[in-house]
Amino acid sequence: MELRKGSWKVLILVCALTIYLWMLFIDHSHMLADISQKIVLQKTRSPVSAKDSSHQDSAQSRIEEGRTNSNMRKMQLALSRNSNNTLRGSTSKYQTLKQQGLTPSRQLPTALIIGVKKGGTRALLEFLRLHPAIRAAGSEVHFFDHHYVKGFRWYKRRMPPTLVGQITMEKTPSYFVTSEVPRRVKHMNPGMKLIVVVRDPVTRAISDYTQVKSKRRKMPRFEDLAFLNGSRIVDTTWVPLKIGVYVRHLERWLQYFPLSQFLFVSGERLIADPVMEITRVQDFLGLKRVICEKHFYFNATKGFPCLLKSEDRATPHCLGKNKGRSHPYIDPMAVQRLRDFYRPFNQRFYQLAGMDFGWY
């Protein structure tokens, strides 16, 4: 009886231990299932490991950096090419600067062709416009002699748009002989570069007279205008003769500007050898020598150099029809008297200008 009671106790103890172990097993299984589910979810959300992700981000960064460096190299190469084109001063300079995104703007001129009338100023301007670094007003503006009261803003609006590195230029031959102009020019720009085209004053006066006579049929003879009352006395008040006393006009200009800011161009040499004179002008303006023999040809009929190509035309052409016009007959004695009159003035002009023009 006592044995049976001991067996029941052992049986109860075994059952209790079995139940306890079974509960521990179930809890452990649930914990493993949770861990497994978390691992599956993590793999589903991120198919690559953290290590692989960092490698991927690094690779993408290297790709973007490579693209940036490539673009920078292309930009540097383009800028280098543009810089070289600018230094060459070639005809592609204007297009090159436009490709850089620069906007043209109007500027006051830094160089003026100030004279003289019938000396070759139009020819010089047309020749210089072949240079890609020069932008010039197409017509005579007459700002400093006729329109000065309108102000610099008005003057600027008459100038052509220019880009960085280009020179703005204007030509008005009457500036050289108008007394108020030197002071006004200095007020605007004390560093202005001044170009004076001069020609034998006798030939210049005859050319001046010829131009006016072509528009006025009823005009007295040249000799009647050049001398007082048919005498041998030169009428120095007659404008075509007054212009030719170059030294007096230059003396007035030298009161405001040093000689180093002047360039004197020979009108005769501009016809005989345009390249030589244009080269001097390019050097004076600090420009590369772009204009050369290939731009010119000589027209035997007009006796004047013409352009093979220009800024506006790619075909050969000469200047206006009034260029190279034949002069009327002038009494040789009258011509000689005028040469004698101008000789002392010419000698003084040579000394001031530092250049012998060979007018005898």
Side-chain angles (χ1 to χ4, degrees), residues 29-39:
S29 296
H30 284 302
M31 184 174 66
L32 290 176
D34 290 338
I35 293 174
S36 176
Q37 186 176 12
K38 289 179 181 179
I39 292 174

Side-chain angles (χ1 to χ4, degrees), residues 25-198:
F25 175 78
I26 291 174
D27 289 339
H28 185 67
S29 296
H30 284 302
M31 184 174 66
L32 290 176
D34 290 338
I35 293 174
S36 176
Q37 186 176 12
K38 289 179 181 179
I39 292 174
V40 170
L41 288 173
Q42 186 175 2
K43 288 182 178 180
T44 304
R45 290 173 183 173
S46 180
V48 294
S49 65
K51 185 176 180 180
D52 291 338
S53 177
S54 68
H55 283 313
Q56 192 173 44
D57 291 341
S58 178
Q60 182 67 23
S61 177
R62 284 196 298 272
I63 290 172
E64 292 296 329
E65 184 179 358
R67 289 175 181 170
T68 302
N69 291 338
S70 177
N71 290 335
M72 287 296 294
R73 284 194 295 271
K74 289 179 181 178
M75 187 181 298
Q76 289 171 355
L77 182 59
L79 290 173
S80 176
R81 288 174 179 170
N82 290 345
S83 177
N84 290 337
N85 286 340
T86 301
L87 291 175
R88 289 191 196 102
S90 65
T91 54
S92 65
K93 179 174 183 179
Y94 187 83
Q95 296 176 350
T96 299
L97 290 169
K98 284 181 67 177
Q99 290 170 1
Q100 292 179 2
L102 299 178
T103 303
S105 61
R106 300 180 191 276
Q107 304 293 332
L108 291 171
T110 56
L112 293 174
I113 300 177
I114 60 175
V116 296
K117 181 183 179 184
K118 305 308 295 180
T121 57
R122 170 54 60 182
L124 177 63
L125 184 67
E126 291 302 314
F127 296 165
L128 288 177
R129 291 176 75 182
L130 296 170
H131 202 296
I134 294 177
R135 304 290 290 167
S139 59
E140 297 173 6
V141 181
H142 286 280
F143 171 68
F144 292 104
D145 55 354
H146 295 165
H147 303 291
Y148 189 68
V149 294
K150 296 180 180 179
F152 296 146
R153 186 174 298 178
W154 179 91
Y155 189 34
K156 183 186 291 187
R157 288 200 299 267
R158 268 73 192 163
M159 295 300 108
T162 57
L163 295 166
V164 174
Q166 291 182 313
I167 292 175
T168 302
M169 180 179 289
E170 190 245 319
K171 171 194 83 81
T172 300
S174 56
Y175 288 166
F176 187 61
V177 299
T178 305
S179 59
E180 300 86 3
V181 170
R183 176 180 53 82
R184 292 172 176 177
V185 173
K186 183 175 182 179
H187 176 66
M188 188 188 81
N189 183 2
M192 184 73 74
K193 293 191 174 183
L194 306 163
I195 302 173
V196 188
V197 188
V198 288

